[in-house]
Structure formats: structure tokens, C-alpha cells
Amino acid sequence: MLIRYSVENFLSFNQRAQFSMIPGKGSLKANHRSPAVGGVKALKASIILGANASGKSNLIKAIAFGRMMVVRGFAANQIIVYPKFKLDSDAVNRNSRMEFEIQAGGKNYAYGFVFNSTSIVEEWLFELTSRSEKAIFERDTTRPEKYNIDALLKNNGKDEDKQFLRFTAKGTPDNQLFLRELIVRKVADNVENIKDVTTVYNWFLNTLKVIFPEDRYKFGLESEIDDNERLNTIYNELLKYFGTGVSGICMEDVEADSVKIPDFMLAGVKEKLLNSQTENARSVFGINGSTYVISRIGNDIRFQKLMTKHLNNEGNEVLFESKDESDGTNRIIDLIPLMIDLIEGNNVFIIDEMERSLHPNLIYDIFDLFLESTASTGSQLIIATHESSLLTQKLFRKDEIWFVVKNDGGASQLHSLEDYNVRFDKEIRKDYLLGRFKAIPRIGNRYELSIKLDKDATRE
């Protein structure tokens, strides 16, 4: 679970901005809060609204960048390429910063780093308890002793283990996170205990999932859906539930020559699959509106095309390609595996414009279904959206609704509906559209435009 995230000097965020999933004082919708970990509960859902160019997507891009730094990083001596805030001349020379407070492995952690284009200036990992915080490691390149790894050394009593940890810290490249370096150098295979480190790394790798409007969440199709009766049943049930008119999906074998994929791309996919340590690996891609799955079965490569099933007037199944379906139906097909993972638990999805191509009633019901189905699971669904119909306290708590606005200096700022004195039974969509919460476009005077307007005609 994500507890809090803060970012500074990145894209449209100048001074430090903080997004929180910690429940406020309200007692309504108690099922929207996760079971406490170390005395800390987290909210399961949140929506982030704002005008175009207010910074909603930039917040998600910042989170995605933080994940990328942990999971992939940059090659040694490579420039850390990222966008600082450009509208403050002082920001060019200031370091950037981000911090994640998370729940993982039954503990609460704070992990963050300060950085610039050439180096990681500071980095820290703390375990948070209800009464204190315990440093697991600290890195500060401005101090003579750059690393404090006393807690890691204490957990590993053998001299060779301690030596390996010190060697790893000393050998970490300036532009590389120490958290990632501990994983890359396979320290866990060579020392007795770095469980806190691996737990936090695995949260970034496996739990946190960031999805942008053009992305597809592929896990469901990368599973063997034809051979997985339960997964197939869930697809069929949800496609019917959401009123798509689709009675099911299946994978149809096709010849490799029929897949119009560039040779260099196909070669790369095959190489990736054949080098995979998973015996039956899969890769999903879309081309010309169709969805294909390339599978490795032993040493063989299998090509399949996603097909949807419809019933004709005689009750017989007719197959359609995904390109024959509406954008909304394809969007739902993409989101079904996401819904499965949310309900099964221990996943944090952060999605930009999840409502794309979906009717407002559908996106509303996805949240309602998720919140109703996850009373005992630790998943979160956080989206940036323009869908104002979600702005209702019938669905969300006040602390689950966030707004992004830009100040006069062009910097994005975050605030929550919890900051306003709003009755729990008040419908808030109208107030939002009227600008009470500030997160709407600032539209100018059309009659000051240089294009010619027929004033009388436009006023009719």
C-alpha cells in the first residue's frame, strides 16, 4: 500500500508537494480503509482532478520515474535524464527530491532520494513504527562518511557479510541508487539478512503498477487464458456484467507470416522469449488494431490472435477480431485483468485517465465494485481523471478526493477535499464545476481573441 508520496523540483512541481493516502478524521465508509499495519491505515482508492495542464499527469509521471529509478536505473556514468521545474530560474541549480512511504511485508517504510542529473546526493530507507523511525541505511554524499549502513551490518554478523555490504556501498556508482545496487549485485545471495531491502525493492517491482492512457495492462493475456478455466470464466462474467455484448474471448492460432510485425521487432520478441527463464513465457502486442500473443512452448514459438465471441440470432458463437470491437469494449478487456489483480490483493495501481473510452457509469461502477469487493485485501486504485461524475460522496470519502492546481508561478500544488468544510451529505460536483475547489480551467474572454467572432450570433 502507498501511504504518502512527495515530490519536489520535477516537471511542474517546484516546491515540495505531498499526496497522502492516510485516512482523515471521517468515520464514514470504514471499508475504504485497509487493515492497520503498525498502527497505520491507508485508503484503498483516490481520484485526482484538475484542469488540463494542471499537473495531474505530471504527478503520475513523477511516481513512474521514481519506480524506474529503483527497478531499472541508469547505466554507470550515464546522465540521469529528467525534467526539472523550468519556470523558476533557481530550480535549475537545485536538487530534486522524492519520497515514498509504503506498507510492505507487514511493515511501514519511508524510502526516498535527492538527486540531480549527475548523481544521487542523498538516499534513505527507514522502518516506521508508531513511536519511532529506524534507519536501515542512509546515504549522504555531503558527509565525509557517505553511508550509514549500521543496521544492515548489525543484521549480518559474519565478517565476510559485513565486508560484502561495505564493498557494495563503496562501489555504488554516483548515479545509481544503493537500493538497486544491493539487488543488482545479488547481495541477498551472499549475506545473511537484507530482508527489509528486498521487501521494499519488490514493492516497487511487483506491487506498484503505473499505467498511462495508451498503455495496456497485459498480465491477463500473458496468462494462459485458454487453459485457465477460472480466468476465462471471470472474463466472460465481467464482459457480460459491463454490457459489452461480448460473450467471451479466446485465442486463435495463426501463422507467423500473417502477423504483420516488422522483422526486427519480431526477432527481438523471439529472443526475449527464448532467453526467458520461464518455461512458457508470453508477450502481448497490438498491431493494426489486432491483439496478438506470442508464446514460447519449450523451444517452439506459437502465434495467437485475441478474438471476441458474440452470439448470433441462432445462439451460435461468431468470432470477431479486437479491431472490430469498440474502443470502450477493448478498454474493458484491457482493464479486466487489472480488476482481477485488484480484488486478489497486494497491488497498487496508479492510472492516468482510466476513464478513456468508458461511459461515466462504467468507471463509477468499477470503483464501486472494487471498493465493495476488497474489504479484506490490501490493494489500491488511484487515478487522475477529468470525469466529474465521480465527484460524489456517495462513492468516495472526502479524503479520497484530491485536486491539482497551478499557482501564479506556474507550479502545481495538491490539496484534498478534506481541506474544505463540506458536509458529508452534500453533492460536490456542481461546486467543483463552479470553481470552488480551484481545479478547473481558467477560460479567458473570447471577445479578446484575434479571430473574428460574430458577437450577436454567438450570444443566441
Side-chain angles (χ1 to χ4, degrees):
M1 303 285 277
L2 177 67
I3 303 173
R4 270 190 297 231
Y5 171 75
S6 63
V7 60
E8 179 180 335
N9 195 15
F10 190 96
L11 285 169
S12 58
F13 292 94
N14 187 12
Q15 302 303 320
R16 191 173 307 174
Q18 181 174 273
F19 172 74
S20 175
M21 294 294 286
I22 297 177
K25 298 178 181 179
S27 59
L28 297 177
K29 299 181 177 65
N31 63 309
H32 290 204
R33 297 176 295 183
S34 68
V37 174
V40 178
K41 294 186 177 183
L43 295 166
K44 293 185 177 181
S46 184
I47 57 172
I48 306 165
L49 297 102
N52 294 105
S54 61
K56 301 186 303 301
S57 295
N58 285 345
L59 177 65
I60 296 179
K61 288 175 183 177
I63 293 171
F65 180 86
R67 181 185 184 278
M68 181 277 295
M69 286 288 290
V70 173
V71 173
R72 193 169 76 240
F74 290 88
N77 302 318
Q78 184 180 350
I79 295 295
I80 301 174
V81 181
Y82 75 97
K84 290 186 175 183
F85 183 73
K86 293 182 177 181
L87 300 181
D88 181 350
S89 57
D90 293 334
V92 177
N93 299 314
R94 279 194 287 115
N95 293 324
S96 300
R97 180 189 188 277
M98 55 181 64
E99 181 179 54
F100 296 80
E101 291 181 38
I102 67 171
Q103 293 179 339
K107 294 182 179 181
N108 299 314
Y109 296 97
Y111 174 71
F113 47 95
V114 176
F115 61 104
N116 54 46
S117 61
T118 59
S119 63
I120 308 298
V121 180
E122 298 178 45
E123 185 183 1
W124 59 92
L125 175 60
F126 283 81
E127 179 188 344
L128 307 176
T129 68
S130 57
R131 296 184 179 181
S132 64
E133 54 184 41
K134 181 181 72 175
I136 296 168
F137 69 76
E138 293 178 272
R139 173 187 188 179
D140 187 344
T141 60
T142 65
R143 299 184 308 201
E145 191 67 32
K146 294 181 180 181
Y147 283 89
N148 171 13
I149 58 172
D150 290 348
L152 294 175
L153 297 175
K154 184 178 179 181
N155 289 336
N156 295 276
K158 298 178 182 178
D159 289 342
E160 56 266 35
D161 290 0
K162 295 178 187 290
Q163 184 177 359
F164 200 99
L165 286 164
R166 291 191 180 102
F167 176 80
T168 302
K170 188 175 182 180
T172 299
D174 291 343
N175 68 340
Q176 188 77 279
L177 294 172
F178 181 54
L179 177 70
R180 171 170 168 73
E181 194 72 5
L182 288 167
I183 302 299
V184 170
R185 297 203 184 202
K186 298 183 178 180
V187 175
D189 296 336
N190 294 278
V191 303
E192 186 177 348
N193 180 14
I194 60 163
K195 186 176 180 181
D196 290 315
V197 171
T198 56
T199 295
V200 172
Y201 178 84
N202 286 331
W203 184 87
F204 282 95
L205 178 65
N206 299 316
T207 300
L208 179 61
K209 300 173 175 69
V210 184
I211 301 176
F212 292 99
E214 300 305 320
D215 292 346
R216 303 186 64 187
Y217 184 57
K218 301 175 181 178
F219 176 79
L221 294 179
E222 288 179 348
S223 300
E224 295 184 29
I225 191 165
D226 282 342
D227 302 324
N228 189 326
E229 184 177 349
R230 176 178 173 274
L231 185 60
N232 211 333
T233 298
I234 292 173
Y235 261 96
N236 296 347
E237 289 177 349
L238 288 177
L239 285 167
K240 181 178 179 180
Y241 174 78
F242 288 120
T244 62
V246 177
S247 60
I249 65 173
C250 64
M251 307 305 299
E252 184 177 76
D253 289 328
V254 295
E255 295 294 329
D257 293 342
S258 70
V259 182
K260 305 301 182 183
I261 179 174
D263 291 341
F264 75 91
M265 186 182 298
L266 182 59
V269 172
K270 286 183 176 180
E271 181 180 4
K272 179 181 177 181
L273 292 175
L274 291 172
N275 290 333
S276 172
Q277 296 181 356
T278 303
E279 184 177 352
N280 295 328
R282 287 188 161 198
S283 181
V284 180
F285 64 95
I287 187 166
N288 296 327
S290 296
T291 301
Y292 294 93
V293 177
I294 303 180
S295 308
R296 169 193 165 191
I297 310 297
N299 291 321
D300 296 326
I301 299 296
R302 179 186 187 187
F303 292 81
Q304 294 175 295
K305 181 189 292 187
L306 172 69
M307 306 295 288
T308 57
K309 301 176 182 178
H310 291 257
L311 299 179
N312 66 14
N313 61 334
E314 296 179 348
N316 298 319
E317 284 186 345
V318 180
L319 297 183
F320 285 65
E321 291 191 40
S322 54
K323 66 182 179 181
D324 298 323
E325 299 290 353
S326 69
D327 289 343
T329 295
N330 281 312
R331 183 66 165 160
I332 290 171
I333 291 172
D334 288 345
L335 292 176
I336 285 175
L338 181 151
M339 292 293 299
I340 294 170
D341 280 356
L342 279 170
I343 292 170
E344 289 186 344
N346 298 319
N347 287 286
V348 176
F349 283 95
I350 301 179
I351 307 175
D352 193 13
E353 296 184 22
M354 183 179 180
E355 76 280 9
R356 182 176 61 84
S357 300
L358 295 181
H359 190 279
N361 288 356
L362 282 178
I363 191 68
Y364 184 106
D365 200 76
I366 285 173
F367 268 103
D368 198 30
L369 177 63
F370 161 63
L371 290 166
E372 187 179 285
S373 305
T374 56
S376 59
T377 60
S379 283
Q380 287 174 311
L381 178 57
I382 301 166
I383 72 167
T385 180
H386 287 292
E387 186 48 70
S388 62
S389 65
L390 293 174
L391 269 175
T392 171
Q393 294 186 85
K394 293 178 180 178
L395 181 61
F396 292 110
R397 296 161 51 105
K398 290 197 298 183
D399 47 17
E400 294 173 323
I401 299 172
W402 282 78
F403 304 104
V404 184
V405 298
K406 277 191 176 177
N407 62 20
D408 292 338
S412 297
Q413 298 176 320
L414 291 162
H415 63 280
S416 169
L417 184 63
E418 184 85 350
D419 299 334
Y420 295 86
N421 184 22
V422 177
R423 285 174 52 92
F424 72 90
D425 58 350
K426 181 178 176 61
E427 284 302 322
I428 55 178
R429 180 173 181 268
K430 182 177 179 181
D431 284 350
Y432 167 71
L433 295 175
L434 289 173
R436 179 181 177 190
F437 310 120
K438 304 176 184 178
I440 60 170
R442 299 177 182 179
I443 300 174
N445 186 340
R446 70 178 62 178
Y447 299 110
E448 293 179 356
L449 298 173
S450 60
I451 61 173
K452 292 182 180 180
L453 293 174
D454 186 333
K455 295 183 180 180
D456 292 331
T458 55
R459 286 173 180 169
E460 290 180 359

